Amino acid sequence: MPPRRRRLAPTATRHLAALGLYTAAALLLTWPLLTRLTTHVPGDGIDDPSLAWNLWWLKARLVDQLNVHIFDAGWMFHPVRINLAFYTLTPLNGLQSVPLQSALSLVLANNLILLSTFVLGAYGMFLLGLYIQGKLGGAPAAGRVDLLGAAPALLAGLIYAFASAKLFYAALGQFNIASSHWLPFAAFYILRLGDSRSPRRAAANGAMAGLFMVLQAWSELTYASFLLVFWALYCLWWIAVRTTTPQAEQTDAATSPASYRAFALGLSIAALVFVAGLAPFLAAMLPDMLAEGDIFAGGGGFADIFSADLMGYLAPTRLHPLFGAWTAGLPFPNDKGQHIYLGYSLLLLALGGLRYRRRLLATARPLAWFWLLAAAFFWALTLGPHLRWTGHDLPIPGPFALISRLPFFSGNRYPSRYSVMLLLAAAALSVYALHLLLHGLMAARARRAQSTHRLVAFVTLAIAALFAFEHLSTPLPLNDLRAPAVYRRIAADPGDFAVLELPTGWRNGARILGKSDVLIMMQQWYQTAHGKPRLGGNTSRNPAYKFQYFTEAPLIGDLIALMNADRAHIAAVVGPNFADLVARNRPLAPRILAFLGVKYVVVHVDKSPELLLRFVQEALPVELIDTWQGPDWSGAPAEIRLYQVRADAAPAAWQADLSSPAGRLYLGSGWSALEAPDDPLRYATHPVSQLLLDVPDRGGLLQLELAKGAATPPSLTLNGRDDLAAPALRVDDAGRTWAEIIIPPSIAGELVDTLALTWRDDPFPLFALEPGSALSVRSAGEEVGNFAHIYVNGIDVAPNTRGYNLAALTPAGDLLAAAAFDTHAMPQASHDLAAWLQQWPAGTVIAGAVADEASYSLQAEAVDALQQLGVQTDLRGRFRWSHAFIGATGALPASAAEQANLIAPAAVLIGPPVDAAQVYGAGGELRFSPAD
């Protein structure tokens, strides 16, 4: 007799069936992704290329390069590197994709990971729903363990994972924001922790809650901060319930000191697990934050755009196949996931359940109130700093303004992203509503002795179908990630070299430097095809220096201007000066491209202004080796030219002057951005300063000029290695002090080597350089930095907001006041600027710097007032120009020190060229001689 097959337990069958249903829903509701799984990903080409790149990077770093430092990336932002701890790296998704990439393909791995976020998110909510059901007195169909008995939990999974808010993020290609699948698991174990009655159970549940918080942090760090808010709300609710529940309704187990101790133990373990799991992130972030300040808080100001609008809660999203076109025309922003729609099906479900609210067990009511309060709180957070209706702010503030001021939480500039927590609470509340509704309907049928199973199935399916229809987002936009053939030709070259793409760009969460085009994101994806370092790149947060290096480096800064020469205000400047740009850069280009290790220049012809195409041919040492023509990612016709840099013999020995504008090519982090013609030194403003060097593998002798009389040379590391011999000090016949550094063979193995100098002397104040006051001004229009700095004795006093930033000082250099006037957007600002200047007595020193743009609404009244300071430049008609000046009230015409520029920052100074209050060291001339 054949052995009997072992059947799965009913509970296992139910869970497998739920996973199967959620998988089918993921495939159907993301249609037509199923038909393009190996070539396309969801998205519009803006975020999806870089987030798919994340998966490639994790495999390339860990498997191909055998390097565990996943956050340290020199493969973009070459040669300054970028810290990916401040980027939406989604490392857990990348780790999960490694075997899929190896066995299948990168695009397919990305799509499978994305689909899994829907399935796992739904399943996690299903488990949380079952837990809530267990507190409600059993399943609706008494005694049954199939999916009908789990109908409320099953529907909750659908609501959480397949709401249009999440589908919208998938449609945008924001796979990090779609990675919300660990949140329900973390909430599930937080609730279990609250119900734990023994230290052992509390410890286990706390450890699991902490683990799932870590998993969420490694999938999308922003959501970890949301969980902390959820955690805090739950703790407050837990304590409130136990201190306010009437004595008659309390149980000894729930209110005993032991339960408090168990809860505290579980929380402590959860916190320890979370902090331990977050430690690699924190370790990677801390050095930059100590050196540069709170990078997370930088670049804010988008909350008004990315806040949910009250009207948005009433209409399906613009992705709906029937109502989308109507929604797109509604008078509020709804194109970037800031539109949150919960649906009328949820409202009807809630109203149906409300009818039977008296059936809710008394022991279940407190938790229901928690979910209701959590939903209200997170709903308020989605609305941003102020409530909005039809795109207009209402005079009603919200809690987001307070939450966004907290450290770590300030990294989220998108209030609408709190919708994920709103959906979590709404899905939990749907469990109560459907449970009560089904119980009420079944009680009525039971009195008539009618079967309830079909009723449960019909009601659940009807609500699920209505919800799915309301949130329908098909066809989901897809982006073609097939790379042009020229990139495969680059990949076939086994050498160690960098790629320069033109036009290109550098993007973070606040601004774009270079070409503002989807192309710059696709270029990051194309790196997965060629696998070589590239100058451009995308990140979320970065120190300002990581942008300014490219803006102010020789050749690269001019290339950035030429990339945008199809814009009228830039063409008006670079066009007449094109011959000078070519003449200035032609002799520099071979050395600079060799320094950067650039072997190929890739030119996207259809995205390049004519002046950029001419510059490549006339100024760069390149020859055309290939041309590709075909449809680009959007299907539009495109042409790509592949140039190879001529390998002219570079001089083995070289020298550079760090104090000159050309010396910026060699400056890593930690140096003053200012230079003065009469000062031979560049000053170090951080205890650790970096130099970028072109050192051959065979090593040699590097000589660095230090400040005269320097007694202690800095300690050194090269490419992270600290086995360099201590430099020797030498004073030459002219009295100049040199640090002589012997670089042995095989240490300088990078395309561009990084020499870190740790200054060992105590820092000295700015006055130690030059007695008296020091005043320096730096200005940058939008294209070249978007900042305004006024340093008084090294302290920045500028408000650093759009328009003219001004500071008034006494002749002795004491600050009187500082103010900013937005002469771009506010015509009244010109009158206010003039009035502000007129209040100061003759001889008052006025320093000024423009940030972003100051010309559009600039009026003659303001120009005349500035001319009374000796300022000559009139910015009217000079869109986004930089302008820096130092003048004085009642000064002679044109007597102010000033500088204005469109394609570079502007700077003026009185005193030493230092933009910090303390100086740690200085460097002047660099000389290198290779080993024999």
Side-chain angles (χ1 to χ4, degrees):
M1 193 174 170
R4 296 179 61 185
R5 292 184 178 179
R6 191 171 183 178
R7 302 180 64 184
L8 290 173
T11 300
T13 302
R14 178 173 59 179
H15 286 264
L16 289 175
L19 286 169
L21 287 174
Y22 291 141
T23 300
L27 294 173
L28 289 174
L29 296 178
T30 59
W31 190 266
L33 179 60
L34 181 61
T35 65
R36 300 286 189 273
L37 279 175
T38 61
T39 58
H40 293 62
V41 299
D44 56 7
I46 296 176
D47 290 309
D48 49 286
S50 64
L51 289 162
W53 175 94
N54 292 357
L55 311 187
W56 169 84
W57 170 250
L58 263 293
K59 178 178 179 293
R61 194 62 161 170
L62 295 173
V63 179
D64 303 336
Q65 301 170 23
L66 298 177
N67 191 327
V68 298
H69 298 291
I70 60 173
F71 297 118
D72 177 28
W75 260 247
M76 58 176 176
F77 281 74
H78 172 77
V80 297
R81 315 179 73 85
I82 197 70
N83 186 350
L84 296 181
F86 296 97
Y87 166 65
T88 52
L89 183 59
T90 60
L92 181 58
N93 292 0
L95 289 171
Q96 292 173 304
S97 77
V98 169
L100 295 174
Q101 292 185 56
S102 302
L104 302 170
S105 71
L106 177 54
V107 172
L108 182 55
N110 180 86
N111 288 329
L112 292 177
I113 293 293
L114 175 63
L115 291 170
S116 75
T117 68
F118 288 96
V119 178
L120 287 173
Y123 181 66
M125 192 65 230
F126 175 69
L127 294 180
L128 180 57
L130 288 178
Y131 188 74
I132 293 172
Q133 276 191 261
K135 295 174 147 316
L136 295 177
R144 293 183 63 84
V145 292
D146 58 11
L147 285 183
L148 293 182
L154 192 68
L155 180 64
L158 180 73
I159 291 170
Y160 175 75
F162 298 98
S164 54
K166 172 160 180 172
L167 288 166
F168 210 128
Y169 284 124
L172 292 171
Q174 295 181 359
F175 308 137
N176 59 320
I177 305 302
S179 296
S180 56
H181 47 298
W182 302 116
L183 288 170
F185 292 95
F188 171 56
Y189 280 102
I190 290 173
L191 262 61
R192 289 187 54 152
L193 168 61
D195 290 336
S196 299
R197 295 293 177 261
S198 70
R200 181 178 178 182
R201 284 184 174 275
N205 288 320
M208 292 301 291
L211 173 63
F212 281 108
M213 289 180 73
V214 170
L215 294 178
Q216 186 57 70
W218 282 76
S219 296
E220 170 49 40
L221 191 59
T222 302
Y223 288 157
S225 69
F226 294 1
L227 275 173
L228 291 177
V229 176
F230 178 84
W231 198 352
L233 288 175
Y234 182 77
C235 289
L236 292 173
W237 168 85
W238 191 91
I239 295 171
V241 166
R242 280 151 183 78
T243 55
T244 59
T245 302
Q247 190 70 28
E249 299 180 20
Q250 293 183 5
T251 64
D252 292 339
T255 60
S256 67
S259 69
Y260 282 88
R261 288 195 295 270
F263 188 60
L265 174 64
L267 285 177
S268 300
I269 291 176
L272 286 173
V273 172
F274 179 61
V275 172
L278 213 60
F281 267 110
L282 299 176
M285 291 176 177
L286 203 55
D288 275 1
M289 295 190 75
L290 289 175
E292 305 291 342
D294 187 2
I295 297 175
F296 272 116
F302 289 158
D304 56 338
I305 302 174
F306 295 104
S307 295
D309 194 290
L310 290 171
M311 177 178 276
Y313 282 96
L314 305 177
T317 71
R318 62 164 54 202
L319 296 179
H320 197 282
L322 297 181
F323 307 117
W326 171 75
T327 298
L330 292 177
F332 67 93
N334 55 46
D335 60 331
K336 296 299 180 186
Q338 68 274 62
H339 180 182
I340 303 168
Y341 174 66
L342 296 180
Y344 295 98
S345 54
L346 274 182
L347 178 61
L348 293 174
L349 177 61
L351 291 176
L354 189 62
R355 178 182 177 186
Y356 302 99
R357 64 189 183 280
R358 298 182 186 277
R359 297 176 182 270
L360 190 63
L361 298 177
T363 55
R365 288 176 189 148
L367 186 59
W369 274 109
F370 164 73
W371 286 114
L372 186 62
L373 292 172
F377 180 74
F378 287 112
W379 171 77
L381 285 177
T382 67
L383 300 175
H386 293 85
L387 272 66
R388 297 168 66 84
W389 173 256
T390 64
H392 301 286
D393 279 348
L394 302 177
I396 305 174
F400 178 82
L402 177 62
I403 294 288
S404 63
R405 293 178 182 273
L406 299 175
F408 187 54
F409 294 90
S410 60
N412 175 41
R413 299 170 294 106
Y414 304 94
S416 59
R417 288 181 179 175
Y418 279 102
S419 63
V420 69
M421 303 305 297
L422 173 59
L423 286 171
L424 182 74
L429 288 171
S430 75
V431 175
Y432 293 91
L434 186 57
H435 174 88
L436 292 172
L437 178 63
L438 293 178
H439 259 289
L441 294 176
M442 289 188 301
R445 293 180 69 90
R447 288 193 293 270
R448 296 191 296 269
Q450 295 175 319
S451 173
T452 61
H453 300 155
R454 291 183 179 178
L455 176 65
V456 171
F458 174 78
V459 172
T460 303
L461 287 174
I463 295 174
L466 179 58
F467 178 86
F469 172 75
E470 285 190 283
H471 292 265
L472 205 58
S473 302
T474 55
L476 207 66
L478 301 180
N479 187 30
D480 189 346
L481 290 189
R482 287 172 288 188
V486 292
Y487 289 104
R488 292 193 292 272
R489 177 165 179 171
I490 296 174
D493 189 332
D496 185 16
F497 55 84
V499 175
L500 171 61
E501 295 147 307
L502 296 174
T504 194
W506 297 261
R507 177 181 182 252
N508 64 18
R511 61 184 296 263
I512 294 174
L513 169 67
K515 190 72 170 180
S516 182
D517 194 278
V518 173
L519 169 67
I520 70 174
M521 306 306 295
M522 293 302 297
Q523 287 171 345
Q524 183 158 337
W525 168 253
Y526 294 151
Q527 187 180 45
T528 68
H530 64 72
K532 306 297 182 182
R534 53 185 297 264
L535 275 66
N538 174 63
T539 187
S540 301
R541 303 289 189 278
N542 58 274
Y545 152 75
K546 301 287 184 176
F547 272 13
Q548 291 309 115
Y549 175 84
F550 299 101
T551 300
E552 302 179 44
L555 178 64
I556 304 174
D558 287 341
L559 282 171
I560 291 172
L562 289 162
M563 292 175 198
N564 291 299
D566 52 355
R567 304 175 70 179
H569 69 288
I570 296 179
V573 173
V574 299
N577 295 290
F578 180 76
D580 293 336
L581 289 175
V582 171
R584 180 170 73 231
N585 285 284
R586 185 186 291 126
L588 300 175
R591 171 63 189 144
I592 293 172
L593 294 180
F595 170 83
L596 295 171
V598 173
K599 186 174 182 179
Y600 293 103
V601 177
V602 181
V603 179
H604 294 260
V605 176
D606 51 301
K607 300 290 185 179
S608 298
E610 182 61 31
L611 288 177
L612 177 62
L613 297 176
R614 286 179 52 195
F615 187 87
V616 170
Q617 296 172 342
E618 297 178 27
L620 301 187
V622 296
E623 58 181 327
L624 182 66
I625 61 171
D626 198 0
T627 299
W628 174 89
Q629 291 180 326
D632 67 6
W633 61 91
S634 67
E639 178 182 343
I640 301 176
R641 296 173 186 170
L642 179 63
Y643 294 89
Q644 185 169 345
V645 178
R646 289 192 294 271
D648 298 334
W654 52 265
Q655 65 182 39
D657 181 7
L658 297 182
S659 67
S660 69
R664 293 176 181 271
L665 185 69
Y666 303 89
L667 296 179
S669 61
W671 300 93
S672 173
L674 297 166
E675 61 255 341
D678 56 349
D679 195 321
L681 297 175
R682 176 79 63 172
Y683 292 95
T685 55
H686 288 72
V688 179
S689 304
Q690 296 180 341
L691 290 174
L692 306 176
L693 305 173
D694 181 15
V695 178
D697 290 343
R698 66 181 186 269
L701 175 64
L702 180 70
Q703 299 178 76
L704 171 62
E705 181 186 6
L706 303 178
K708 284 186 178 182
T712 307
S715 58
L716 309 170
T717 60
L718 185 64
N719 298 329
R721 298 178 57 172
D722 57 3
D723 48 358
L724 286 178
L729 288 182
R730 177 180 63 86
V731 180
D732 64 14
D733 295 339
R736 300 164 72 186
T737 301
W738 298 84
E740 297 189 332
I741 305 161
I742 298 176
I743 300 178
S746 75
I747 289 185
E750 302 287 340
L751 265 181
V752 176
D753 301 292
T754 302
L755 180 70
L757 301 89
T758 301
W759 304 97
R760 295 187 288 177
D761 290 330
D762 291 335
F764 48 93
L766 185 57
F767 282 142
L769 294 176
E770 184 174 308
S773 62
L775 178 61
S776 58
V777 180
R778 291 248 300 162
S779 163
E782 166 59 30
E783 277 88 1
V784 293
N786 186 16
F787 59 74
H789 300 304
I790 302 173
Y791 298 100
V792 179
N793 299 327
I795 305 299
D796 191 1
V797 300
N800 196 21
T801 59
R802 185 173 60 192
Y804 270 103
N805 292 250
L806 304 178
L809 302 95
T810 67
D814 298 321
L815 178 67
L816 297 172
F821 303 92
D822 187 359
T823 54
H824 166 75
M826 301 172 61
Q828 175 66 25
S830 289
H831 172 77
D832 295 341
L833 183 154
W836 190 86
L837 290 176
Q838 290 166 4
Q839 68 179 307
W840 305 112
T844 302
V845 177
I846 305 293
V850 165
D852 188 353
E853 210 289 306
S855 70
Y856 188 75
S857 297
L858 185 64
Q859 306 294 322
E861 185 177 8
V863 175
D864 293 341
L866 291 172
Q867 289 177 348
Q868 298 303 311
L869 307 174
V871 173
Q872 189 174 13
T873 301
D874 181 351
L875 281 192
R876 286 178 294 180
R878 297 182 177 184
F879 186 67
R880 288 182 171 174
W881 276 57
S882 312
H883 185 203
F885 64 84
I886 300 175
T889 56
L892 295 174
S895 62
E898 67 176 312
Q899 191 178 82
N901 204 326
L902 172 66
I903 64 174
V908 293
L909 57 90
I910 297 174
V914 179
D915 54 10
Q918 291 184 315
V919 175
Y920 293 83
E925 189 176 345
L926 266 178
R927 297 175 180 173
F928 177 76
S929 302
D932 295 334

